[in-house]
Amino acid sequence: MRLLIVEDDRMIGESLQRALRLEGYAVDWVRDAAAADGTLASERFDLVLLDLGLPSGAGAGGRVVDGLDVLRAARARHDATPVIVLTARDARGDRVAGLDAGADDYLVKPFELDELNARIRAVVRRHAGRAEPLLSASGVTLDPAARRVTRNGIAVALSAREFAVLEALMAKPGAVLSRTQLEDRLYGWGEEIESNAISVYIHQLRRKLGSEFIRNARGVGYFVEP
Ligand code: CA
């Protein structure tokens, strides 16, 4: 899953990016409203963590001056990317305004990482229209919280990247994801991508989960059977 952090505080941004990468997310980070607006208008993310108190930044022509504007602009473009707003403790008005501007949830700073992770999973789940926290298809079950995969009830050990590929495919059984779409979900900006990396992960997943579990849509991409 690919996340965007929008946060001007360097310490918070750095520690969030580091912590969320350790959770296996591809994480990009921008620091002002204009950069956030431009990035969201041109790239696809699975979820955005949005600080509301932001410098406006250069380049948006004064159209977006803070986090709330970024959110309103995204929703006005019909961009449905889930958004969790990050606000200061004493800013109840910000939380209300954020939710009313189209945020899916909020967290009050400072927050604990385990709560952030649980809220990310919950928001992604709701966005996908699921109530059930586990993903399952054809005898394979994936637990996003425990980061555990079983096949016919038996635990299967996966690398972080293999897990990320599998999670992307199992989030929507039957939906075909291209190699590029999978790369987008796995890698943040500036991360080196080996040209055959996705093929290697698919090969490993088939070896561990059965050769028929991940199917090819020839010339288009990969999917798992619903
Ligand atoms: Ca801020």
Side-chain angles (χ1 to χ4, degrees):
M1 274 209 301
R2 187 162 177 217
L3 310 186
L4 180 67
I5 298 170
V6 184
E7 170 62 75
D8 60 316
D9 184 301
R10 176 185 274 274
M11 271 199 1
I12 297 175
E14 276 178 1
S15 61
L16 266 181
Q17 187 173 42
R18 193 177 325 116
L20 291 169
R21 279 185 174 159
L22 285 175
E23 289 293 316
Y25 297 115
V27 188
D28 296 318
W29 171 26
V30 293
R31 302 175 191 200
D32 63 55
D37 186 58
T39 301
L40 286 171
S42 59
E43 298 192 43
R44 185 207 158 279
F45 293 88
D46 295 293
L47 184 133
V48 182
L49 298 176
L50 178 65
D51 179 31
L52 291 187
L54 289 173
S56 58
R63 196 169 55 80
V64 290
V65 299
D66 63 14
L68 214 48
D69 288 331
V70 171
L71 179 55
R72 289 197 186 103
R75 295 306 186 227
R77 285 191 299 271
H78 306 290
D79 178 345
T81 307
V83 173
I84 298 177
V85 158
L86 309 176
T87 70
R89 182 172 297 283
D90 55 356
R92 184 167 56 91
D94 278 358
R95 301 199 285 278
V96 172
L99 291 170
D100 281 341
D104 299 273
D105 201 355
Y106 67 83
L107 264 175
V108 175
K109 294 189 223 179
F111 47 79
E112 297 296 328
L113 204 59
D114 60 350
E115 182 175 5
L116 172 64
N117 279 317
R119 284 181 188 268
I120 289 173
R121 288 190 292 270
V123 166
V124 165
R125 199 161 63 222
R126 278 203 300 273
H127 183 69
R130 282 187 290 120
E132 163 65 47
L134 302 182
L135 304 176
S136 48
S138 311
V140 174
T141 300
L142 181 149
D143 182 341
R147 303 191 62 73
R148 198 169 47 217
V149 173
T150 59
R151 181 188 183 206
N152 301 325
I154 297 164
V156 179
L158 299 182
S159 73
R161 298 282 200 206
E162 289 163 8
F163 185 92
V165 169
L166 186 64
E167 188 175 25
L169 291 169
M170 288 185 68
K172 259 195 195 163
V176 177
L177 289 177
S178 71
R179 184 180 304 263
T180 309
Q181 286 172 321
L182 286 169
E183 284 172 357
D184 280 349
R185 282 170 172 69
L186 256 63
Y187 298 94
W189 300 328
E191 284 189 85
E192 190 82 19
I193 308 175
E194 297 277 340
S195 63
N196 66 341
I198 298 296
S199 309
V200 172
Y201 300 137
I202 296 284
H203 176 79
Q204 293 296 342
L205 286 167
R206 283 177 172 153
R207 199 171 59 73
K208 294 175 180 180
L209 300 172
S211 57
E212 292 296 297
F213 182 66
I214 296 175
R215 314 293 293 268
N216 273 9
R218 202 158 291 285
V220 187
Y222 304 98
F223 66 102
V224 298
E225 292 282 0

